[in-house]
């Protein structure tokens, strides 16, 4: 039975309270005192600031809030900081309230957007608030992870709804809010509702903090022997987390019987080569790895095995504060300092408590453990002092070790301070952008008065407000100069004194804001060009967010190759350094795109908020004819596989959503199909979830441990491209005479490096080069005979004379390809026809 069936006939607070608690009791749930307090305040119409520990049941309070809003016919919005949490909440609320009552807006997908309960990112709600103000159909706002209010780049989205939606009831939730006095007064003033703070220092599962002076492996062994697992070992880099996990392979974490259970649970899960093989060894030993760089299927596997109680140790990064679904009994900090992208600093109290709060599982643990590992130099110093004993002279002679260079020294006083410290007060991160002005100008009424309210009644101090006002004025002048807005002599029928001269789609600031520029740039391309499909891809890649690790790896590789080439040419060291500054990652169509951007910006000034970034990741992979695994290995990105895959998935979705049908040639459709199938075969969840959101009635994705993507051969069009790329990869390597790499690909079929070199000796006796341009990889030079169980293929080599009498023959095993998720090629002959 859905919760909507329990709705009383009225919004009477007592009736609502009784109905919800009755429903909860029927599900075996007993409300904690702080949940009960929050429920009473919510049904009474008050705003609620819920500042309670992690694991204290904030989700149930959010559900109660939606229930109260439904009873009063108010639209209620639930916001979260990341799309994954939004979609997770969407499906959870569909189960509780029924799919017809729940919708979702993320920019990537909109589902049932007129539903009375909407799940969305904070930015979506902020833009609704800017565009509609107090006219918006928003009766209630439940903001999860409200501490994101202080995030420098995104905090504006948590603040704007508080300013612009006075008609709404607010429920703000986080475990680490700090002093909330300012929010209480501010919310009550704006909404005219009383505002209650629900605090609970008592966790359902209390935490025990300790400071470990033993070496980390000894600390871990003690925790395991005293049954304090699962232990989450917190690191502040992905490399450190993996290094620690591999070091623990020497520790007997699990019994033989437990390892057998793990193997049984893993079953036929597909681990790809590269990092997948490493993870397979680790999890079978009872050790997990968890960080943002993993493929989603690997993270889910670790979470699933941990939830089943099969993993004793999980080594991960500090990102477990948001969205992690790993049951943890003990959190073990390897340090209390981190590099935040700018400098190395000590953890803030909020960061420490956000991570520590993940320890202890309600319903499983009676106590959660938080252990902070003392730095190695502190442990060594204590050992040296202990060895000196009580003799003052010996103790004075002890040479104390210092923290490693580049790190920050800390010890037990830092630990004690963080344990006792309250999270720091949240600080305002308000920002002004073109999108903000456009949204406000687009709403009915006086835009000048609305902007004055927004700029002078926010949470910034007066000097910051003056800076925002100056920026808003500059943006407005640019919009006027660009003809995007016009000032009216008299207010129009909707009270506007200034209005937009262009129509903006609802999500213009949310889902690839440079998409209109991409459409304009695609029109500049020559459809008849052999590179048209790849050029369209480059246009789309230029509007995607930069995948920093991939671009850095490309630049590193390019500079290495440039240095080698310059050395071969005899260029002096100083000159090489100067030339290297100009070497960066590949940027196809950079001049055309930057010229288009400048021209487009003149009529659309708001694009200045967003950076155009020419780059080549998907195109690079396609032109190199590499599989996902080959590409990751080529650039040394095994720790960032998840980032690579998310970028590929974003490129696929943007190609699908942005490129008009009349701009799609057959070759471009092939490319899009290839990219979608490549992503599916590596990890189907990213596209499956997107498709499921676009079609919520589709069947649910199977359990991660039974993860199997659809058969790769079922999509014949995409599979033909995979086959073409596999053969062309061999053409490229042959053109470069990289016999050893060809041998690595085909030694199992009897084609080692020597066999390849011998087979092509005759070709290179006749011709100097093998062509690798667009014609060489085109369909005209690839012959495919499609059988039921195997395909027979012949890749013709593009010789400079155009004789086309040399080629590579192969068989494609369809069943083996389905098992591997890629084209399985067996070379049968290389030579002249």
């Amino acid at each position: 039975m859905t919760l909507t069936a329990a709705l009383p006939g009225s919004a009477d607070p007592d009736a609502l309270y009784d109905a919800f608690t009755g429903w909860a009791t029927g599900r075996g749930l007993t409300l904690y005192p702080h949940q009960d307090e929050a429920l009473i305040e919510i049904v009474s119409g008050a705003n609620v600031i819920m500042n309670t520990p992690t694991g204290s049941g904030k989700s149930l309070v959010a559900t109660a809030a939606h229930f109260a809003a439904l009873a009063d016919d108010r639209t209620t919005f639930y916001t979260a900081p990341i799309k994954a949490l939004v979609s997770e909440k969407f499906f959870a609320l569909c189960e509780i309230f029924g799919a017809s009552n729940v919708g979702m807006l993320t920019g990537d997908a909109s589902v049932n957007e007129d539903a009375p309960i909407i799940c969305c990112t904070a930015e979506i709600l902020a833009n609704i608030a800017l565009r509609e103000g107090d006219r918006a159909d928003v009766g209630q706002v439940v903001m999860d992870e409200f501490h994101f209010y202080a995030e420098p780049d995104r905090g504006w989205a948590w603040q704007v709804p508080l300013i612009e939606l006075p008609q709404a009831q607010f429920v703000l939730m986080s475990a680490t809010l700090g002093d909330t006095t300012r929010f209480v007064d501010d919310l009550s003033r704006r909404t005219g509702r009383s505002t209650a703070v629900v605090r609970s220092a008592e966790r359902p599962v209390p935490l025990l903090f300790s400071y470990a002076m033993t070496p980390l492996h000894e600390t871990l062994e003690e925790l395991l022997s005293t049954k304090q697992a699962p232990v989450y070992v917190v690191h502040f880099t992905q490399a450190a987390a993996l290094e620690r996990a591999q070091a623990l392979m020497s520790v007997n974490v699990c019994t033989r019987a437990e390892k057998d259970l793990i193997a049984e649970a893993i079953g036929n899960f597909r681990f790809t080569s590269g990092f997948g093989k490493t993870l397979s060894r680790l999890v079978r030993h009872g050790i997990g790895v968890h960080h943002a760089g993993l493929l989603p299927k690997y993270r889910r596997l670790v979470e699933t095995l941990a939830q089943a109680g099969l993993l004793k140790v999980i080594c991960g990064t500090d990102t477990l504060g948001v969205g992690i679904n790993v049951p943890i009994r003990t959190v073990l900090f390897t340090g209390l300092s981190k590099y935040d992208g700018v400098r190395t600093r000590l953890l803030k109290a909020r960061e420490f408590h956000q991570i520590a709060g993940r320890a202890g599982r309600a319903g499983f643990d009676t106590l959660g453990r938080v252990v902070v590992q003392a730095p190695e130099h502190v442990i060594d110093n204590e050992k040296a002092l202990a060895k000196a004993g009580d003799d003052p002279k010996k103790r004075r002679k002890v040479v104390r070790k210092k923290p490693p260079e580049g790190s920050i020294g800390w010890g037990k006083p830092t630990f004690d301070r963080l344990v006792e410290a309250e999270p720091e007060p949240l600080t305002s991160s308000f920002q002004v952008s073109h999108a903000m002005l456009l949204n406000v100008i687009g709403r009915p009424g006086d835009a000048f008065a609305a902007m004055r309210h927004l700029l002078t009644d926010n949470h910034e101090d007066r000097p910051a407000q003056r800076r925002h006002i100056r920026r808003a004025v500059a943006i407005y002048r640019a919009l006027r100069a660009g003809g995007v807005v016009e000032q009216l002599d008299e207010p129009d029928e909707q009270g506007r004194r200034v209005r937009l001269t262009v129509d903006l789609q609802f999500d213009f600031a949310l889902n690839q804001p440079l998409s209109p520029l991409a459409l304009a740039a695609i029109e500049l391309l020559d459809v008849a060009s052999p590179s048209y499909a790849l050029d369209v891809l480059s246009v789309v890649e230029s509007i995607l967010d930069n995948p920093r690790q991939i671009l850095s790896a490309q630049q590193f590789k390019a500079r290495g190759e440039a240095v080698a080439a310059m050395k071969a040419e005899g260029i002096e060291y100083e000159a090489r350094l100067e030339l290297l500054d100009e070497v960066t990652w590949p940027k196809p169509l950079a001049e055309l795109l930057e010229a288009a951007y400048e021209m487009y910006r003149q009529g659309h000034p708001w694009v200045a908020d967003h950076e155009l970034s020419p780059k080549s990741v998907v195109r690079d992979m396609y032109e190199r004819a590499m599989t996902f695994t080959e590409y990751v290995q080529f650039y040394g990105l095994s720790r960032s596989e998840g980032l690579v895959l998310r970028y590929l998935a974003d490129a696929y979705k943007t190609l699908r959503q942005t490129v008009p049908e009349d701009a799609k040639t057959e070759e471009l459709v092939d490319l899009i199909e290839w990219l979608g199938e490549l992503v599916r075969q590596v990890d189907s969840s990213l596209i499956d979830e997107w498709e499921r959101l676009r079609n919520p009635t589709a069947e649910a994705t199977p359990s991660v441990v039974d993860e199997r993507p659809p058969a790769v051969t079922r999509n014949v069009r995409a599979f033909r491209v995979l086959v073409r790329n596999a053969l062309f990869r061999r053409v490229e390597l042959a053109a470069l005479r990289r016999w050893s790499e060809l041998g690595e690909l085909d030694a199992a079929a009897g084609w080692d490096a020597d066999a390849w070199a011998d087979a092509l000796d005759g070709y290179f006796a006749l011709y100097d080069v093998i062509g690798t341009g667009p014609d060489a990889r085109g369909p005209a030079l690839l012959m495919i005979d499609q059988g039921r169980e195997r395909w027979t293929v012949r890749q013709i080599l593009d010789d400079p004379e155009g004789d086309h009498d040399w080629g590579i023959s192969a068989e494609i095993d369809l069943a083996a390809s389905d098992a591997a998720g890629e084209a399985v090629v067996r070379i049968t002959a290389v030579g002249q026809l």
Side-chain angles (χ1 to χ4, degrees):
M1 182 182 74
T2 63
L3 181 52
T4 49
L7 284 168
S10 72
D12 174 71
D14 290 335
L16 283 173
Y17 177 88
D18 291 340
F20 186 80
T21 54
W23 172 83
T25 301
R27 292 173 64 108
L29 301 172
T30 302
L31 272 61
Y32 296 124
H34 61 269
Q35 290 176 313
D36 194 62
E37 179 186 353
L39 174 58
I40 291 170
E41 296 290 351
I42 287 169
V43 299
S44 300
N47 300 313
V48 171
I49 299 175
M50 194 164 185
N51 190 6
T52 58
T54 302
S56 60
K58 288 186 282 291
S59 292
L60 187 63
V61 173
T63 302
H66 299 316
F67 179 74
L70 285 180
D72 205 17
D73 291 325
R74 290 177 292 154
T75 301
T76 171
F77 280 71
Y78 167 88
T79 75
I82 58 176
K83 293 176 183 177
L85 286 181
V86 172
S87 60
E88 182 181 298
K89 193 70 174 181
F90 166 73
F91 290 118
L93 290 178
C94 283
E95 289 185 14
I96 295 172
F97 290 98
S100 62
N101 290 308
V102 187
M104 185 182 67
L105 301 169
T106 64
D108 276 348
S110 62
V111 178
N112 198 18
E113 55 197 72
D114 295 323
I117 303 172
I118 297 292
C119 301
C120 63
T121 55
E123 283 81 359
I124 291 276
L125 178 62
N127 278 280
I128 291 173
L130 289 169
R131 187 168 292 196
E132 301 181 39
D134 60 8
R135 297 178 176 85
D137 181 19
V138 182
Q140 183 189 78
V141 176
V142 179
M143 303 188 87
D144 208 352
E145 307 290 353
F146 186 71
H147 56 274
F148 270 77
Y149 169 96
E151 285 289 306
D153 295 329
R154 301 183 62 200
W156 68 272
W158 276 259
Q159 183 173 163
V160 163
L162 307 183
I163 302 169
E164 294 294 299
L165 300 174
Q167 75 277 19
Q169 176 189 26
F170 286 90
V171 180
L172 312 179
M173 306 189 301
S174 173
T176 55
L177 290 179
D179 182 11
T180 58
T181 305
R182 176 164 57 93
F183 293 106
V184 172
D185 297 340
D186 185 72
L187 271 178
S188 296
R189 173 178 68 85
R190 294 179 189 277
T191 64
R193 301 171 183 264
S194 62
T195 301
V197 178
V198 177
R199 297 181 64 94
S200 174
E202 290 187 21
R203 291 169 44 97
V205 180
L207 293 182
L208 176 64
F209 291 87
S210 60
Y211 184 72
M213 287 294 294
T214 50
L216 192 140
H217 68 278
E218 291 183 18
T219 304
L220 264 173
E221 287 176 358
E222 181 186 352
L223 290 170
L224 292 172
S225 65
T226 56
K227 303 191 184 304
Q228 300 304 313
V231 182
Y232 194 103
V233 189
V234 181
H235 303 77
F236 294 97
T237 66
Q238 295 175 6
L242 178 57
E243 184 180 334
R244 180 72 57 194
Q246 291 175 315
L248 288 172
M249 288 290 286
S250 61
V251 178
N252 196 15
V253 172
C254 290
T255 65
R256 179 70 263 168
E258 289 169 331
K259 290 178 181 178
D260 290 342
L261 288 173
I262 292 171
E264 183 181 343
I266 290 173
N268 294 322
F269 184 90
R270 180 193 288 174
F271 292 96
T272 54
S273 57
F275 180 74
K277 303 302 182 187
T278 300
L279 183 64
S280 177
R281 288 194 301 271
L282 290 169
V283 295
R284 292 176 195 279
H285 199 74
I287 301 166
V289 177
H290 198 287
H291 58 68
L294 294 182
L295 293 178
K297 68 177 182 181
Y298 291 159
R299 285 207 311 276
R300 292 196 314 277
L301 174 67
V302 169
E303 291 169 6
T304 302
L305 294 176
Q307 286 160 0
L310 297 174
L311 297 184
K312 299 297 180 68
V313 178
I314 301 106
C315 297
T317 57
D318 59 325
T319 54
L320 79 163
V322 178
I324 191 171
N325 188 23
V326 176
I328 301 163
R329 178 169 292 173
T330 302
V331 168
L332 173 58
F333 285 83
T334 59
L336 293 178
S337 65
K338 64 180 287 187
Y339 179 72
D340 63 6
V342 178
R343 61 189 176 90
T344 301
R345 59 169 175 78
L346 294 175
L347 294 184
K348 297 176 181 177
R350 169 168 292 105
E351 294 168 324
F352 177 75
H353 287 289
Q354 194 72 29
I355 299 167
R358 294 290 166 178
R361 303 164 297 175
F364 294 91
D365 300 323
T366 56
L367 189 71
R369 292 284 302 275
V370 179
V371 182
V372 174
Q373 180 66 39
E376 287 185 16
H377 73 279
V378 171
I379 295 173
D380 291 341
N381 289 339
E382 285 299 315
K383 285 182 178 178
L385 289 169
K387 189 174 181 180
D390 296 330
D391 187 336
K393 290 183 180 179
K394 289 184 179 179
R395 293 177 71 87
R396 280 197 299 272
K397 289 181 180 178
V398 171
V399 178
R400 289 173 170 81
K401 291 184 177 180
K402 295 181 179 179
E405 190 173 344
S407 66
I408 290 181
W410 58 271
K412 193 168 186 302
T414 304
F415 163 75
D416 291 334
R417 176 182 61 79
L418 286 173
V419 170
E420 296 299 326
E422 284 287 318
E424 298 82 2
L426 295 174
T427 54
S428 172
S429 297
F430 190 80
Q431 291 181 359
V432 175
S433 65
H434 289 78
M436 177 178 284
L437 263 73
L438 288 165
N439 274 320
V440 173
I441 291 170
R443 74 165 76 156
D446 186 344
F448 293 109
M451 279 305 301
R452 187 181 304 113
H453 164 71
L454 190 60
L455 294 170
T456 61
D457 195 21
N458 53 47
H459 299 164
E460 301 277 277
D461 59 26
R462 190 59 188 156
Q465 287 181 346
R466 283 195 288 268
R467 288 195 302 272
H468 295 318
I469 290 169
R470 287 194 294 270
R471 173 161 170 74
V473 169
I475 291 173
Y476 176 72
R477 288 172 176 166
L479 293 173
R480 284 281 308 275
V484 179
V485 300
E486 62 181 4
Q487 200 160 333
L488 305 176
D489 295 331
E490 297 290 334
D492 66 10
E493 64 278 4
Q494 292 187 304
R496 295 188 180 97
R497 294 163 53 197
V498 59
R499 70 183 177 194
L500 299 175
T501 61
V502 295
D503 291 327
L504 301 176
Q505 71 270 29
F506 171 74
D507 58 356
F508 84 100
L510 302 165
N511 181 30
Q512 304 306 345
L514 293 180
S515 292
L517 167 63
L519 289 174
I522 288 170
E523 293 179 0
L524 301 175
L525 301 177
D526 179 7
V527 180
S529 168
S531 64
Y532 172 77
L534 290 174
D535 290 343
V536 171
L537 174 59
S538 291
V539 170
V540 167
E541 288 202 71
S542 73
I543 67 172
L544 299 177
D545 291 338
N546 280 346
R548 183 174 51 82
Q549 291 96 319
I550 305 175
L551 301 186
S552 296
Q554 287 182 327
Q555 180 170 284
F556 181 79
K557 175 78 75 172
R559 289 185 171 179
E561 293 171 353
V563 166
M566 286 186 280
K567 282 183 178 179
E569 293 177 24
I571 298 175
E572 295 296 326
Y573 176 76
E574 295 297 332
R576 291 204 304 265
L577 287 182
E578 288 185 19
L579 291 171
L580 273 182
D581 287 339
E582 301 173 8
V583 178
T584 182
W585 54 83
K587 298 180 178 181
L589 306 185
E591 289 186 11
L592 180 147
L593 289 168
E594 285 162 6
Y597 178 79
E598 290 303 320
M599 185 180 302
Y600 191 81
R601 189 170 66 173
Q602 293 175 18
H604 308 79
W606 65 84
V607 303
D609 288 341
H610 310 283
E611 181 182 2
L612 183 78
S613 179
K615 53 188 167 292
S616 177
V617 176
V618 183
R619 180 170 183 160
D620 186 37
M621 182 183 292
Y622 188 83
E623 288 186 320
R624 293 182 185 276
M626 287 181 170
T627 64
F628 179 85
T629 301
E630 289 170 342
Y631 195 76
V632 165
Q633 291 174 343
F634 182 73
Y635 284 113
L637 293 164
S638 61
R639 287 200 304 270
S640 302
E641 284 182 331
L643 172 77
V644 178
L645 189 72
R646 280 191 293 276
Y647 179 86
L648 299 181
D650 286 345
Y652 171 70
K653 289 185 281 189
T654 307
L655 281 165
R656 287 272 307 269
Q657 293 179 156
T658 302
V659 180
E661 288 301 316
D662 59 6
K664 292 179 180 176
T665 61
E666 287 294 307
E667 188 177 357
L668 180 55
V669 172
D670 282 350
L671 190 152
I672 295 171
E673 289 293 317
W674 160 79
L675 180 56
E677 197 59 39
L678 182 145
V679 173
R680 279 193 185 92
Q681 293 303 319
V682 175
D683 186 338
S684 63
S685 63
L686 289 178
I687 294 182
D688 287 346
E689 181 181 30
W690 183 57
E691 298 288 3
R692 188 179 172 200
L693 294 177
R694 292 157 64 91
N695 180 20
T697 60
E699 291 185 13
T701 306
S703 164
V704 65
V705 178
D706 296 328
E707 171 270 344
R708 267 309 199 209
V712 69
T713 58
R714 92 203 184 290
N715 185 338
V716 176
R717 187 166 199 160
F719 188 63
R720 286 179 68 94
V721 180
L722 289 173
V723 171
R724 186 194 314 164
N725 283 356
L727 270 295
F728 193 72
R729 173 78 175 138
R730 288 156 172 85
V731 172
E732 285 192 312
L733 292 174
L736 297 169
R737 308 189 194 201
R738 292 182 177 171
W739 311 125
S740 61
E741 291 181 48
L742 281 165
E744 289 174 12
L745 286 174
D746 299 309
W751 287 85
D752 60 12
D754 290 338
W756 272 100
D758 291 344
L760 287 169
D761 270 349
Y763 177 92
F764 284 112
L766 294 172
Y767 311 108
D768 293 334
V769 296
I770 296 175
T772 57
D775 291 337
R777 74 181 305 148
L781 295 186
L782 179 66
M783 297 179 291
I784 300 178
D785 181 12
Q786 296 180 200
R788 294 186 62 181
E789 296 183 356
R790 57 178 41 83
W791 290 2
T792 303
V793 298
R794 175 78 174 172
Q795 173 67 59
I796 306 299
L797 301 184
D798 186 24
D799 62 84
E801 301 299 325
D803 295 330
H804 294 164
D805 57 350
W806 280 75
I808 302 169
S809 298
E811 289 183 345
I812 313 299
D813 187 322
L814 302 187
S817 297
D818 285 336
E822 60 187 44
V824 173
V825 178
R826 187 176 71 84
I827 302 299
T828 56
V830 178
Q832 197 168 17
L833 291 174

